[in-house]
Every structure is written in structure tokens, then in C-alpha cells.
Amino acid sequence: MTKVAIVTGAGKGIGKAIALALAREGLDIVLAARTQKDIDETAAQIEQLGGKAFSVRCDVSNERDVQQLVSKTKERFGRIDMLVNNAGVGVFAPVAEMKPSDFDTMWGTNMRGTFLCTQAVLPVMQEQKSGDIINIASLAGRNAFKGGAGYAATKWAMIGFARCLMLEVREHNIRVVTICPGSVDTEFHPESTKNKDTSRVPKAADIAQVIVDAMNMPRHVMVSEIDVRPTNPNW
Ligand code: NAP
């Protein structure tokens, strides 16, 4: 039986690396993001690797989109073994200057999206009596920094959400794993970090490897939270 993973935000950055890494591990992958072209490209790369993938345009903050994502996955593959709640946005500004619309977008994507996707896959995983829910939070969910109030609050919330969820679903043999990366070398960062030396910054593929390692632990072991930081940071 081939396992099936849904990866949100799989069009670029960390989500794309996770999708490719899980495909290399032999899972069938469902790719979700708002930009169809990006997820189609990721799907094509997975097929080139000999894997199976299909893309579903989905805004994770939209309940109907998320319901369709899950129903199309069930229709196509018949099961859901893993959900990676990776889709996320960050807008960095002091509270005094933050636009309420940016605040809402971060909450809608990072936290509401995590809630909606998780709630939608739970009946399937509970029936299967097995599943892995992986949340990409952030070290910003553990540490305070100027300009981070809106973003950090969503990531702090994701960690709290995941801790409660884990207590609710472990009896169904569902593991909840929260990854907290520090800086990762993706397009996520603001213009001010462009042209900086990223040689010592973890790459998206490194985060993907962490997830593969957690997934491959024996099923009776749940690595519930993992912090990932550069060994010797230069930015
Ligand atoms: P990225 O390169 O900007 O990619 C973000 C992905 O999320 C894109 O595919 C984007 O596609 C998708 N996305 C954004 N809003 C969405 C929505 N409403 N619905 C569905 N998909 C959506 O960012 P990244 O660096 O890979 O970050 C991935 C995750 O890691 C985020 O949760 C971020 O907070 C977290 N993280 C990143 C870092 C870092 O330093 N890069 C560190 C710690 C944690 P569309 O725009 O096409 O929808």
C-alpha cells in the first residue's frame, strides 16, 4: 500500500522541498497552493523522479477550497497518511505600523489554514487509525523580536494548537510533529536580506530531511517538536 501525503504551500521553498523528499521516500503527493503554475511544476518534477503527484489549487484559509483538496485526494488516492501544514506568510512590521489586512492574512494562512486542513483530514486518519500531521511553525513561535508580533503570534499559536491536538489524537495512532525552523534560505525573506551570504543558513531540503527522519521513526515513537537552527549563524 502506497502512502499518501498532502503538502500545503508546495509550490516553492520549504513545501516544494518537502514534497520532493516525500516523493523520493515513495509516497504519492498532493500539492496545494494558490499559484497553479508552481504546483504543476512541482508535480512534473515528482513525475520525473518516477513518483505520483497531482496539484490542487487551494487557498488554505478558504474552507471550501480545503474541503475540495481533501475530497479530491480521497477520490484520487483513497487514503491520507500525512498532512504537512506548511503554507505560510510573514509580514514584518512594528505593531504601530502593521496593516490589519496583513495581520488577518497571516492568521488566515498560518493558523486558520492549519486548523482547516487538520480538521478536514482527521476523519480519514481516525478511520485509518493512523496518520502524521506535520506543522511548520518557526523559532519565531518561541522567541520575541521587534517587528515580529503578528507573525510570531501565529507561530506561537500553531505550537499551542499542535500540543492540544496531539493529546486529542494520539489515541488514534496519529502523530503530531511540529518543526520550528530558524532562518531557512528561501524567497520568504524580505528584500533587505537579498544578496546576503546564505552559505551557512539551512536550506529547504534540510527541513525536508528532518521531516523524513521524524516520519521514519518507528510508529510507536512520536518526535513531537523539533527546533532547527544554523550551527554557526552569519545572519
Ligand atoms: P515561501 O518560499 O514564501 O513559500 C510559501 C508557500 O506557501 C508558497 O508555495 C505559497 O504559494 C504558499 N502559500 C502562501 N499562502 C497560501 C495560502 N493562503 N494557501 C495556500 N498556499 C499558500 O516560504 P517558505 O520559506 O517556504 O516557508 C514555508 C513555511 O515555513 C511557512 O509556514 C513559514 O512561516 C515557515 N518558516 C519559514 C522560515 C524561513 O526562514 N524561510 C523559517 C521558519 C518557518 P502561493 O503564494 O502560490 O499560494
Side-chain angles (χ1 to χ4, degrees):
M1 173 212 57
T2 305
K3 290 195 167 180
V4 178
I6 296 176
V7 183
T8 70
K12 53 188 181 175
I14 296 171
K16 179 172 186 167
I18 293 168
L20 288 165
L22 293 176
R24 281 191 203 96
E25 290 292 305
L27 280 77
D28 292 340
I29 312 293
V30 180
L31 308 146
R34 294 165 304 174
T35 310
Q36 188 75 52
K37 180 175 133 310
D38 288 350
I39 43 178
D40 285 349
E41 270 172 30
T42 310
Q45 285 184 31
I46 289 174
E47 273 154 22
Q48 272 168 16
L49 292 171
K52 274 197 212 149
F54 83 100
S55 50
V56 180
R57 207 211 66 81
C58 169
D59 177 344
V60 294
S61 67
N62 181 302
E63 198 176 341
R64 190 190 296 176
D65 279 9
V66 171
Q67 291 299 340
Q68 280 181 5
L69 170 66
V70 171
S71 60
K72 284 180 181 172
T73 303
K74 285 194 290 187
E75 232 173 80
R76 180 74 166 262
F77 290 133
R79 54 184 299 116
I80 304 171
D81 297 283
M82 181 182 273
L83 165 69
V84 184
N85 284 312
N86 165 78
V89 287
V91 182
F92 300 94
V95 173
E97 292 162 26
M98 174 158 295
K99 289 191 208 148
S101 58
D102 287 337
F103 186 84
D104 290 346
T105 300
M106 286 190 283
W107 277 91
T109 311
N110 304 0
M111 189 56 249
R112 180 178 158 83
T114 295
F115 161 68
L116 289 177
C117 292
T118 301
Q119 193 181 51
V121 302
L122 276 181
V124 182
M125 291 185 176
Q126 283 174 351
E127 200 186 322
Q128 290 170 188
K129 299 197 174 4
S130 178
D132 287 338
I133 297 174
I134 315 290
N135 301 298
I136 309 301
S138 173
L139 285 182
R142 301 208 193 277
N143 303 303
F145 59 100
K146 281 183 183 172
Y151 178 71
T154 67
K155 295 298 181 177
W156 234 290
M158 281 180 73
I159 295 168
F161 175 83
R163 286 184 186 172
C164 297
L165 174 71
M166 185 267 283
L167 296 174
E168 292 171 9
V169 301
R170 62 197 302 190
E171 70 193 58
H172 301 285
N173 198 29
I174 297 171
R175 301 186 294 193
V176 180
V177 179
T178 302
I179 316 285
C180 292
S183 288
V184 183
D185 187 11
T186 70
E187 289 171 23
F188 179 85
H189 293 282
E191 206 53 35
S192 57
T193 60
K194 292 266 151 63
N195 301 323
K196 286 207 169 171
D197 172 15
T198 58
S199 56
R200 278 148 58 183
V201 178
K203 309 291 175 251
D206 299 322
I207 307 303
Q209 183 62 49
V210 170
I211 291 169
V212 168
D213 291 347
M215 175 186 80
N216 285 337
M217 292 299 289
R219 272 229 68 86
H220 64 278
V221 178
M222 170 163 39
V223 184
S224 51
E225 292 184 13
I226 309 173
D227 291 353
V228 186
R229 38 171 61 84
T231 303
N232 180 11
N234 56 345
W235 63 307

